[in-house]
């Protein structure tokens, strides 16, 4: 791996393949990227040490575990003071229903992606939990009708 996130062709191939299947063996990975197994292992360790690669995970189909409803929720804060933002972000980090959270510019302060079993479950979460948080002034919810694209893979391009 080169400095400044300048990756060579093999690093880019490794990153692309690991995003598709984190369980691929080093032997299979080496065959796919055109390098030795030892070289792949060293490169993966270097990418981990540099913070480019984090922990491997397995993706779960939300519908198969009873969490098929995606809600995009905009949050407006009562206060933008640092302690209020930290309290809200800590609260969100502890909520398993919230799978993504973004601090935003513009009209709304946060954008959350929330997964729940059904509309009633979301209503309960919103009314009893989210709007009950002292930092939250208001929320706007948008229910996803279907997911037309989903990926966790980040495009790996040559910046050189």
């Amino acid at each position: 791996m080169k400095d400044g996130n300048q990756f060579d062709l093999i690093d880019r191939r490794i990153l692309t393949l690991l995003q598709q299947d984190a369980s691929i063996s080093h032997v299979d990975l080496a065959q796919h990227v055109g390098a030795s197994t030892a070289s792949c292992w060293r490169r993966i360790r270097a990418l981990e040490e540099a913070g480019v690669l984090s922990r491997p995970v397995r993706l779960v189909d939300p519908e198969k575990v009873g969490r098929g409803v995606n809600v995009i929720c905009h949050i407006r804060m009562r206060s933008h003071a640092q302690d209020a933002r930290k309290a809200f972000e800590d609260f969100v980090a502890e909520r398993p229903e919230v799978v993504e959270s973004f601090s935003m510019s513009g009209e709304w302060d946060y954008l959350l992606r929330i997964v729940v079993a059904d509309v009633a479950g979301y209503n309960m979460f919103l009314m009893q939990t989210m709007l009950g948080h002292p930092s939250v002034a208001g929320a706007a919810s948008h229910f996803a009708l279907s997911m037309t694209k989903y990926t966790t893979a980040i495009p790996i391009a040559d910046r050189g």
Side-chain angles (χ1 to χ4, degrees), residues 88-110:
F88 179 73
E89 290 173 10
D90 289 347
F91 164 76
V92 165
E94 294 174 9
R95 299 305 311 183
E97 304 93 335
V98 180
V99 294
E100 294 182 84
S101 174
F102 301 91
S103 175
M104 303 296 291
S105 64
E107 183 179 346
W108 296 94
D109 299 309
Y110 289 90

Side-chain angles (χ1 to χ4, degrees), residues 1 8-15 17-18 24-49 53:
M1 186 181 81
D8 67 14
L9 179 61
I10 292 174
D11 286 336
R12 290 194 310 272
R13 287 178 178 169
I14 288 171
L15 290 170
L17 288 167
L18 287 176
I24 190 171
S25 72
H26 289 155
V27 172
D28 289 340
L29 185 61
Q31 288 176 342
H32 281 88
V33 303
S36 72
T37 303
S39 173
C40 280
W41 183 84
R42 284 191 301 273
R43 286 169 179 269
I44 289 169
R45 292 294 168 253
L47 290 164
E48 289 171 342
E49 289 172 11
L53 287 174

Side-chain angles (χ1 to χ4, degrees), residues 62-76:
E63 289 187 23
K64 296 207 168 129
V65 295
R67 297 287 183 249
V69 175
N70 273 287
V71 184
I72 305 302
C73 180
H74 297 276
I75 298 292
R76 184 170 291 120

